[in-house]
Amino acid sequence: LGITIKDVAKRVGVTPATVSMVINNKPRISEATRNRVLEAIRELDYYPHAGARNLVLKRTSTIGVAASFFTYPFILEILTGIELELRQTEYNMVLFGTRGLAKTEDSVIHSIARERKVDGLITITLDLKENQVEDFRKNNLSIVALERDYKGVDCVVVNNEKGAFDATRHLAQLGHKRIGLVNGLVGHPGSDERQRGYERAILESGLILDKAYWRHIDNFSRKEGFEAAQDLMSVSQAPTAIFVAAGDLAALGVIQALGRMGKRVPEDVSVVGYDDIPLSEMLEPGLTTVRQPMQQIGAQAFKQLLSSIKEGTNHQPFKMVYDAELIVRQSTGPCTH
Amino acid sequence: LGITIKDVAKRVGVTPATVSMVINNKPRISEATRNRVLEAIRELDYYPHAGARNLVLKRTSTIGVAASFFTYPFILEILTGIELELRQTEYNMVLFGTRGLAKTEDSVIHSIARERKVDGLITITLDLKENQVEDFRKNNLSIVALERDYKGVDCVVVNNEKGAFDATRHLAQLGHKRIGLVNGLVGHPGSDERQRGYERAILESGLILDKAYWRHIDNFSRKEGFEAAQDLMSVSQAPTAIFVAAGDLAALGVIQALGRMGKRVPEDVSVVGYDDIPLSEMLEPGLTTVRQPMQQIGAQAFKQLLSSIKEGTNHQPFKMVYDAELIVRQSTGPCTH
DNA sequence: CTGTTAGCGCCTTCAG
DNA sequence: CTGAAGGCGCTAACAG
């Protein structure tokens, strides 16, 4: 029950080593024995034991993908991109969900590094600590960070500053003067970049920065977006447009809150989202948003990880920056006030 | 670079065997040496090499999850349920996406069975062939099928017949006489069950079955739902209600098509979906739909797989049936015709 | 061209 | 209570 290389060897009358060489296409095997081995393999329906092979080869043919949650569409799209590339190789992927808990994240990352269950790791929107990066380096494990730019770590990121700038300028060009912002928490790398893009666009458009129009949310959820919009629209001189830098799901919440308040999109208030998740084009009105090339990011990350695994972890840190692209749909229109 | 059990042993002045016993909490070790070993482990920050351990223990501590696509929300929710349980254990999970291609599905399943990279497999909405099941059995690998009921295979399913019945009867009770059906392809187990539930409700409500009101789609996608609705509403005596048994995403497509045609939901046409994906309650109007307890299904599947792995594959086939539950929201209303 | 030997890192007898 | 020996299934060197 579970046939091994020995069984094959015995059947053909050679040693396991010979069979091994046939399997791995090593040259110095005569056609004759090669064929006999191949035949025996077929007859016995033999498959090499992946684990045993990995042990001696000192690799696992597995990569890890770590993220806080895998249910957010943005993460899923990246996952899809990874999988598309992965499928071309002999690699498998195992998922590590940290559930947003710092503790589990710490222990998860640490045990990944030490138990050597994977050859490399892709992190998505995860805040690595210095010593965690060090853990990986010590163990010669490759790592690629997505949406985060650590010094000395390979990464694939999006130009968030430009994406946010384009979105905000788009609203300004439509004549909006009071442009609200729903963003992630202050201090988070991606959020801060988007904040800068927003501010630059506001200033370059000759408008004034007003914190009263800014809201910060934690989980990029629809619910938070809903609440932020309610809050935002209750200030005197409410905004006529809202840039929801905290993702399309939150933007959906904003739109729903506006609807609940009797405001129409885009006639009364324009809304721009961020990410361009599949849902966004399904909505009515279609959501104007900043597209991140998520599948490409995932695919690129995997390619980079692979080459890092092959070439070892002592290479120049690799950094790939993708441009975010403004996709104009029906949720934005000229200012009517 | 990569410290092993030997390093620990050497440091303490014992043999690897002793260290191994400490790690695995075997009894016959004196407190004194146990503590010294434990301390050395901490000092050296030693972690057992998962692969090596698995090799000798003849297990992988990994389960596989196979599905055609992981981007469909329904599948994701199940995945979340699995992960919730998995996290309590030492198991990891690796994903196998078959992309809906019969060929890749075949080879993927076969190699999973033979390379023994996993201790067991959960399949989601996958059509296993007789010989594939046999492959697993031969290798003593556990398997749990979700949304499919194979003889001799553990499974977790939903009572689709009842779910579809409830949904259809709900529409009939609202006074609808012409109730359209958008379902999966004929011959697929789940779709056929839903078809039966629909037909039974129609007949028990004193209505008549009319194939002109049925459409069948392949991928449960929004796009297909959109097209099906356009098609369905163009027949003479168009339906006043549509039961979209082919999932909530397709139901969204139906609603959008209706909107494009100037029909209002639920005033002109009522719509019921299937699954209750997270999106469904976010929509306006909220989607009336048949909820499948997806996370529970996933969690239950994992528990069952675990016990099957422990107890061996020679047990009475386990079968768990969950009830689907009708969730009434705002997309259904009384017939006004 | 093929067999022999050794070892990947760990665990489980079996002695002592 | 602990050390020694053997082996999980495979591959890489070195002989022959």
Side-chain angles (χ1 to χ4, degrees):
Chain A
L1 206 72
I3 67 174
T4 77
I5 200 170
K6 287 184 191 163
D7 299 323
V8 178
K10 203 163 291 172
R11 195 177 216 293
V12 182
V14 294
T15 58
T18 307
V19 178
S20 170
M21 288 172 149
V22 172
I23 295 168
N24 297 294
N25 284 314
K26 303 284 177 187
R28 356 167 269 169
I29 297 284
S30 70
E31 269 308 300
T33 57
R34 151 168 272 115
N35 285 136
R36 282 166 57 220
V37 169
L38 254 21
E39 197 186 324
I41 287 177
R42 216 171 326 108
E43 283 175 14
L44 266 40
D45 198 22
Y46 163 76
Y47 274 68
H49 186 293
R53 166 178 262 163
N54 291 338
L55 181 59
V56 43
L57 258 26
K58 289 185 177 305
R59 57 158 203 210
T60 65
S61 299
T62 300
I63 67 156
V65 180
S68 51
F69 294 92
F70 288 103
T71 42
Y72 192 81
F74 170 77
I75 305 239
L76 267 175
E77 288 296 308
I78 291 182
L79 217 55
T80 304
I82 296 174
E83 219 263 338
L84 248 40
E85 283 299 315
L86 188 86
R87 158 162 312 285
Q88 322 274 60
T89 72
E90 53 161 13
Y91 275 81
N92 284 120
M93 129 177 110
V94 3
L95 264 34
F96 299 96
T98 63
R99 321 222 133 260
L101 307 171
K103 262 183 214 162
T104 64
E105 187 176 308
D106 276 7
S107 67
V108 164
I109 300 280
H110 191 248
S111 70
I112 293 173
R114 294 319 179 84
E115 294 181 356
R116 273 147 282 174
K117 281 185 176 176
V118 301
D119 297 336
L121 182 73
I122 296 177
T123 66
I124 310 178
T125 329
L126 237 49
D127 293 305
L128 294 174
K129 305 207 183 67
E130 197 49 61
N131 62 326
Q132 301 186 131
V133 174
E134 210 37 54
D135 264 6
F136 273 78
R137 182 148 309 152
K138 267 189 213 149
N139 286 288
N140 205 39
L141 286 174
S142 300
I143 187 166
V144 174
L146 263 43
E147 304 281 309
R148 286 290 184 277
D149 185 2
Y150 297 106
K151 54 178 177 298
V153 175
D154 291 348
C155 63
V156 180
V157 296
V158 164
N159 190 338
N160 281 305
E161 203 271 355
K162 178 171 179 307
F165 176 85
D166 288 350
T168 310
R169 191 184 51 182
H170 166 66
L171 291 170
Q173 285 175 343
L174 286 167
H176 294 279
K177 309 280 183 224
R178 301 192 301 277
I179 301 175
L181 173 69
V182 177
N183 199 358
L185 294 182
V186 176
H188 277 231
S191 301
D192 288 354
E193 287 169 34
R194 294 175 199 183
Q195 182 83 29
R196 281 198 292 280
Y198 164 86
E199 294 185 5
R200 184 162 66 84
I202 292 287
L203 294 175
E204 289 193 11
S205 305
L207 304 176
I208 45 171
L209 294 174
D210 187 347
K211 287 189 183 180
Y213 294 141
W214 304 350
R215 292 294 179 279
H216 297 276
I217 67 178
D218 194 4
N219 295 318
F220 287 43
S221 67
R222 184 193 62 100
K223 185 157 172 291
E224 288 175 317
F226 190 96
E227 292 161 359
Q230 286 183 317
D231 197 33
L232 210 45
M233 296 307 290
S234 69
V235 304
S236 66
Q237 294 279 43
T240 63
I242 304 179
F243 170 40
V244 188
D248 286 349
L249 234 37
L252 172 60
V254 167
I255 289 175
Q256 290 181 337
L258 291 170
R260 205 59 67 85
M261 291 183 275
K263 306 277 184 189
R264 310 214 310 158
V265 175
E267 291 81 354
D268 298 318
V269 182
S270 286
V271 176
V272 180
Y274 208 103
D275 287 348
D276 195 28
I277 62 180
L279 172 65
S280 305
E281 68 162 343
M282 299 184 189
L283 295 174
E284 314 254 354
L287 182 66
T288 295
T289 188
V290 179
R291 172 183 296 166
Q292 307 204 56
M294 297 168 275
Q295 294 204 2
Q296 278 183 58
I297 291 172
Q300 182 60 45
F302 177 71
K303 282 187 205 160
Q304 177 53 29
L305 187 63
L306 214 59
S307 90
S308 169
I309 289 171
K310 281 200 183 106
E311 297 174 13
T313 171
N314 283 328
H315 55 255
Q316 281 300 312
F318 166 95
K319 177 169 177 177
M320 179 85 175
V321 182
Y322 280 95
D323 264 339
E325 179 191 5
L326 182 69
I327 307 290
V328 178
R329 297 204 180 92
Q330 297 85 45
S331 67
T332 47
C335 181
T336 57
H337 298 262
Chain B
L1 206 74
I3 67 174
T4 77
I5 200 170
K6 285 183 192 164
D7 299 323
V8 178
K10 203 163 291 171
R11 195 178 216 292
V12 183
V14 294
T15 59
T18 308
V19 177
S20 169
M21 287 171 153
V22 172
I23 295 169
N24 298 293
N25 283 316
K26 302 287 177 185
R28 353 169 270 168
I29 296 283
S30 70
E31 270 308 301
T33 56
R34 153 169 271 116
N35 285 135
R36 284 166 55 221
V37 169
L38 253 23
E39 197 188 323
I41 286 178
R42 215 171 326 107
E43 282 175 15
L44 295 171
D45 196 23
Y46 164 74
Y47 274 68
H49 186 292
R53 166 178 258 165
N54 291 337
L55 180 59
V56 39
L57 258 26
K58 290 184 177 304
R59 56 157 204 210
T60 65
S61 299
T62 300
I63 67 156
V65 179
S68 51
F69 294 92
F70 288 102
T71 43
Y72 191 81
F74 170 78
I75 307 242
L76 268 176
E77 289 294 310
I78 291 181
L79 218 56
T80 304
I82 295 173
E83 220 262 338
L84 247 41
E85 284 298 317
L86 187 87
R87 157 164 312 286
Q88 323 273 61
T89 72
E90 54 161 10
Y91 275 81
N92 284 120
M93 119 180 119
V94 4
L95 265 33
F96 299 95
T98 63
R99 322 224 134 255
L101 308 170
K103 260 183 215 162
T104 64
E105 186 175 310
D106 276 7
S107 67
V108 165
I109 300 279
H110 191 248
S111 69
I112 292 174
R114 294 320 179 81
E115 294 180 357
R116 273 148 283 174
K117 281 186 177 176
V118 301
D119 297 336
L121 182 72
I122 295 176
T123 66
I124 309 178
T125 329
L126 236 51
D127 293 303
L128 294 175
K129 306 210 182 67
E130 197 50 62
N131 62 325
Q132 301 186 132
V133 174
E134 210 38 54
D135 264 5
F136 274 78
R137 183 148 305 153
K138 265 189 215 150
N139 287 287
N140 205 41
L141 285 174
S142 300
I143 186 165
V144 173
L146 262 42
E147 303 281 308
R148 286 290 186 277
D149 184 4
Y150 296 107
K151 54 177 176 301
V153 175
D154 291 347
C155 64
V156 179
V157 296
V158 164
N159 191 337
N160 281 307
E161 202 273 355
K162 179 172 179 306
F165 175 83
D166 288 350
T168 309
R169 193 184 49 182
H170 166 67
L171 291 171
Q173 283 174 344
L174 285 168
H176 293 280
K177 309 279 183 227
R178 300 192 301 277
I179 302 176
L181 173 69
V182 177
N183 199 359
L185 294 182
V186 177
H188 277 231
S191 301
D192 288 353
E193 288 168 35
R194 294 175 198 183
Q195 182 83 29
R196 280 198 293 279
Y198 164 87
E199 294 186 4
R200 185 160 67 82
I202 292 286
L203 293 174
E204 289 192 12
S205 306
L207 303 175
I208 44 170
L209 294 174
D210 187 347
K211 287 188 183 179
Y213 294 141
W214 305 348
R215 293 294 179 278
H216 297 276
I217 67 179
D218 195 5
N219 295 318
F220 286 43
S221 68
R222 185 194 61 101
K223 186 155 171 291
E224 287 175 319
F226 190 98
E227 293 161 358
Q230 286 184 317
D231 198 32
L232 210 45
M233 296 307 290
S234 70
V235 303
S236 65
Q237 295 277 42
T240 64
I242 303 179
F243 170 40
V244 188
D248 287 349
L249 235 36
L252 171 61
V254 167
I255 289 174
Q256 291 182 336
L258 291 170
R260 206 59 67 84
M261 290 182 274
K263 306 277 184 188
R264 311 214 309 158
V265 175
E267 291 82 353
D268 298 319
V269 181
S270 287
V271 176
V272 180
Y274 209 103
D275 288 346
D276 195 27
I277 61 179
L279 172 66
S280 304
E281 67 163 342
M282 298 185 189
L283 295 174
E284 313 251 356
L287 183 66
T288 295
T289 187
V290 179
R291 172 183 295 166
Q292 306 204 56
M294 296 168 275
Q295 293 203 4
Q296 278 183 57
I297 291 173
Q300 182 61 45
F302 178 71
K303 283 187 205 161
Q304 177 53 29
L305 188 63
L306 215 58
S307 89
S308 169
I309 289 171
K310 281 199 182 107
E311 298 174 11
T313 171
N314 283 328
H315 55 256
Q316 281 299 313
F318 166 96
K319 177 170 179 177
M320 178 87 174
V321 182
Y322 280 95
D323 264 340
E325 178 191 6
L326 182 69
I327 306 289
V328 178
R329 296 202 182 92
Q330 297 85 46
S331 67
T332 48
C335 182
T336 57
H337 299 261

